[in-house]
Amino acid sequence: MTRLIAIDWGTSSLRGALLHPSGQVIEERSDARGILTVPEGGFPAVFESLFGDWMRLEDTRCLISGMAGSKQGWVEAPYCACPAGRVEVGRSILAIDAIPGARIAIVPGLSDTHDGVPDVMRGEEVQIFGAMELTGLSDGVFVLPGTHNKWATVKKGRVASFRTCMTGEFYALLSRHSILARTLDADAPLDEAAFLEGVTRAENGHGLLHNAFGARTLALFGRMPKEELASYLSGLLIGEELRTQSLQAAGEVVLIGSPVLTQRYTLALRAAGVATRTLGTEATWAGLHALAGFLATDTSQP
Amino acid sequence: MTRLIAIDWGTSSLRGALLHPSGQVIEERSDARGILTVPEGGFPAVFESLFGDWMRLEDTRCLISGMAGSKQGWVEAPYCACPAGRVEVGRSILAIDAIPGARIAIVPGLSDTHDGVPDVMRGEEVQIFGAMELTGLSDGVFVLPGTHNKWATVKKGRVASFRTCMTGEFYALLSRHSILARTLDADAPLDEAAFLEGVTRAENGHGLLHNAFGARTLALFGRMPKEELASYLSGLLIGEELRTQSLQAAGEVVLIGSPVLTQRYTLALRAAGVATRTLGTEATWAGLHALAGFLATDTSQP
């Protein structure tokens, strides 16, 4: 049995864990050297500086998910088309031979298509597989809030389809770079009442393009304090996101992400009568551990 | 009869016209010194440098609309609440006495409220009054595309209600500052087919937060050329805006704005089976000219 160095290498940051053969986390690390900070050809050196000590432990191998497998990443691992489960993804894991003797491989992302428009994820598929392991669920709706949120429908252990919502990026743009930024405090802590007011407002049928302006005028007329406006805007956006999902079909939603985000989705989904359960980084490690079984045949060749 | 110096002083730019007593434009000027560029207390000096020569002509007076009447402007002119027509707005015109002997006044904006959330416009009300003069319409839907678009319902010559959509600002944020900016050319000329594809896509029920991501993935998969993506995104946004309006009630829509924008709304509305007629800056001059009749009693006092 070998130890696994599990890495989720994203656009703006990365996280790694050294896993015991059983899947238990021995040690965790995180770093700001997301793929956009790595110069061309610089991945082996960055990897060595971050995880070289772990790689020199006896009998270890490494599996990397996330944007490291994108065109701008270390090695491009072409997307697996949905429906895809652990088997399809596991079979497409790509060995990296940039570091001689090191057993490093990259997990491909998933693609889907809706009426001719593609959709993509990289890294979230691993979290979904991990969440299936941890919850025992092989059917359901899995939601991964972030900059680009993923809503995935899982059927019989495979991701049947998914959609991306740019909710996190819209929040950053509006709260920091739009006219709304002048009158709201993007870093204010969550105000649950203002957040839920935004969630409810999002259902009024007038659309985000109109409702967002309310976060400006409520401030102009002194009708909502500065500290609450960011929560209200966040509620408008997440409410808009929920508005376009088939929630009645969901029953229960599995949320995977940071507590700051999953807390908000839990509140909004609960208000819509949808139960949730929540997972964090443990889903990534469980997913990479589950996929490591596919490594033997793919990367242990001389 | 006196000549009118008609000015629309906005956030990032301003336009002025010297009008013959009949309303005919004698000369037009525009400048980049929007209110955000004017230092505190600096309005009289900027005004003098831009329009001092016109003010020294015999028997002239000046009427200013737009953000110059906002809290960040020259003098704050409190909003008139809807429903409001030329009479209500005309009676609330505010004289400026910062420049001795000069007959300068500011037109207030309009406010409306929807379920406790205020909405505001400054300057567009003048364009609507002007459009009513120029078209002879005293009922209808008037749409003013811009950074913050206004959709106004006019009944019996008064603005009964209106809503703002941040469509222009969303386009700027997404095309220049979001992940979409990496793969689209925000300055590409309009591609009508790609634009209308976006308009149609906006009606698919999946929402802007999802559909916008398609402008990224279509590029990633090489399914839409870079030059068309900006038009597609513009169509997604304008389509989303139209989706939330009561277009079947409109019959005909009066568009007021720059040709670059009104052209797009004409295309999108025509695709939705709505007829349009279009006006440009002449609506501003006609509106200020129509309101000038209220000046005599308000600002000619010693």
Side-chain angles (χ1 to χ4, degrees):
Chain A
M1 295 283 278
T2 54
R3 275 171 298 203
L4 180 71
I5 300 168
I7 300 174
D8 181 7
W9 204 328
T11 304
S12 55
S13 64
L14 79 164
R15 294 171 301 138
L18 181 63
L19 304 183
H20 187 270
S22 69
Q24 280 290 109
V25 175
I26 301 169
E27 192 187 337
E28 284 192 53
R29 285 175 190 173
S30 62
D31 195 88
R33 275 173 278 181
I35 67 152
L36 291 183
T37 73
V38 179
E40 207 175 320
F43 280 93
V46 173
F47 178 83
E48 166 63 29
S49 76
L50 287 167
F51 303 109
D53 56 337
W54 286 356
M55 285 300 285
R56 279 183 289 277
L57 297 171
E58 203 184 337
D59 208 12
T60 54
R61 53 193 179 181
C62 173
L63 197 51
I64 304 175
S65 62
M67 295 299 284
S70 71
K71 214 172 277 185
Q72 295 77 37
W74 191 342
V75 171
E76 186 176 2
Y79 296 105
C80 279
C82 282
R86 231 166 70 182
V87 175
E88 289 82 357
V89 169
R91 283 185 187 146
S92 305
I93 286 173
L94 203 70
I96 289 179
D97 43 19
I99 302 180
R103 294 159 73 197
I104 307 172
I106 288 207
V107 181
L110 297 187
S111 65
D112 197 6
T113 305
H114 310 286
D115 298 326
V117 180
D119 209 330
V120 292
M121 62 165 69
R122 279 201 189 272
E124 293 90 348
E125 71 293 336
V126 163
Q127 295 174 278
I128 294 168
F129 298 153
M132 285 194 254
E133 288 289 313
L134 294 170
T135 61
L137 292 171
S138 54
D139 294 274
V141 175
F142 292 68
V143 179
L144 299 96
T147 304
H148 299 153
N149 303 353
K150 310 297 176 186
W151 285 73
T153 304
V154 170
K155 288 181 182 160
K156 297 184 181 170
R158 297 162 88 207
V159 178
S161 71
F162 68 91
R163 284 185 188 276
T164 301
C165 285
M166 294 177 68
T167 317
E169 184 160 11
F170 271 60
Y171 179 75
L173 290 170
L174 289 169
S175 66
R176 298 187 188 278
H177 302 291
S178 81
I179 193 171
L180 309 184
R182 296 188 201 165
T183 37
L184 67 72
D185 175 5
D187 298 315
L190 180 64
D191 181 287
E192 290 195 11
F195 173 78
L196 288 171
E197 193 179 330
V199 170
T200 304
R201 187 82 60 183
E203 292 158 10
N204 66 7
H206 295 297
L208 177 63
L209 295 172
H210 169 67
N211 288 328
F213 194 63
R216 170 69 175 163
T217 53
L218 284 167
L220 275 184
F221 284 71
R223 297 211 185 154
M224 190 177 282
K226 197 181 173 82
E227 313 81 65
E228 295 177 15
L229 281 164
S231 296
Y232 177 73
L233 175 64
S234 173
L236 282 179
L237 286 162
I238 292 175
E240 166 71 13
E241 184 180 358
L242 298 197
R243 188 185 67 71
T244 55
Q245 309 299 330
S246 314
L247 288 178
Q248 66 285 10
E252 187 192 47
V253 159
V254 179
L255 290 166
I256 314 170
S258 71
V260 164
L261 292 176
T262 54
Q263 177 196 13
R264 294 176 185 218
Y265 282 82
T266 301
L267 282 169
L269 285 163
R270 195 191 294 155
V274 178
T276 57
R277 60 170 103 177
T278 301
L279 297 166
T281 47
E282 68 273 23
T284 305
W285 311 144
L288 286 167
H289 182 255
L291 285 167
F294 293 90
L295 276 178
T297 46
D298 288 273
T299 65
S300 65
Q301 312 288 344
Chain B
M1 295 284 278
T2 55
R3 274 170 297 202
L4 181 70
I5 301 169
I7 300 173
D8 181 6
W9 204 328
T11 303
S12 55
S13 64
L14 78 165
R15 293 171 302 138
L18 181 63
L19 304 183
H20 187 270
S22 69
Q24 280 290 110
V25 175
I26 301 168
E27 193 187 336
E28 283 190 57
R29 286 176 190 172
S30 63
D31 196 90
R33 274 173 278 182
I35 67 154
L36 291 183
T37 73
V38 179
E40 209 177 317
F43 281 93
V46 173
F47 179 84
E48 166 63 29
S49 76
L50 287 167
F51 303 109
D53 56 336
W54 286 356
M55 285 300 285
R56 279 184 288 279
L57 297 171
E58 204 182 338
D59 208 11
T60 54
R61 54 192 178 181
C62 173
L63 197 51
I64 305 175
S65 62
M67 295 300 284
S70 71
K71 215 172 277 184
Q72 294 78 36
W74 190 342
V75 172
E76 187 177 0
Y79 296 105
C80 281
C82 282
R86 229 167 70 183
V87 175
E88 289 84 356
V89 169
R91 285 184 186 146
S92 305
I93 287 173
L94 202 70
I96 288 179
D97 43 20
I99 302 180
R103 296 158 73 195
I104 306 173
I106 288 207
V107 182
L110 297 187
S111 66
D112 197 4
T113 306
H114 310 286
D115 299 325
V117 180
D119 209 330
V120 292
M121 64 166 68
R122 281 201 187 272
E124 291 91 348
E125 69 294 334
V126 163
Q127 296 175 277
I128 294 168
F129 298 152
M132 286 193 255
E133 288 289 313
L134 295 170
T135 61
L137 292 170
S138 54
D139 294 275
V141 174
F142 293 69
V143 179
L144 299 96
T147 305
H148 299 153
N149 303 352
K150 311 296 175 183
W151 285 72
T153 304
V154 170
K155 287 181 183 161
K156 296 185 181 168
R158 298 162 87 208
V159 178
S161 72
F162 69 90
R163 286 186 187 275
T164 302
C165 286
M166 294 176 68
T167 317
E169 184 160 12
F170 271 60
Y171 178 75
L173 290 169
L174 289 169
S175 65
R176 298 187 187 278
H177 302 290
S178 81
I179 193 171
L180 310 184
R182 294 189 203 166
T183 36
L184 67 71
D185 174 5
D187 299 314
L190 179 66
D191 181 289
E192 291 195 12
F195 173 79
L196 288 171
E197 193 179 332
V199 170
T200 304
R201 187 82 60 180
E203 292 158 12
N204 66 6
H206 295 298
L208 178 63
L209 295 171
H210 169 66
N211 288 328
F213 194 64
R216 171 69 176 162
T217 52
L218 284 167
L220 275 183
F221 284 71
R223 296 213 186 152
M224 190 177 282
K226 198 181 172 81
E227 313 81 65
E228 295 177 16
L229 281 164
S231 295
Y232 177 73
L233 175 63
S234 172
L236 282 179
L237 285 161
I238 292 175
E240 167 71 12
E241 184 179 358
L242 299 197
R243 189 187 66 73
T244 56
Q245 310 298 331
S246 315
L247 287 179
Q248 65 286 11
E252 185 191 50
V253 158
V254 179
L255 290 167
I256 314 169
S258 70
V260 165
L261 292 176
T262 55
Q263 176 196 13
R264 293 176 185 219
Y265 283 81
T266 300
L267 282 170
L269 285 163
R270 194 190 296 155
V274 178
T276 56
R277 60 170 104 176
T278 301
L279 297 166
T281 47
E282 68 273 22
T284 305
W285 310 144
L288 286 166
H289 183 256
L291 285 167
F294 293 90
L295 276 178
T297 46
D298 289 273
T299 64
S300 66
Q301 312 288 343

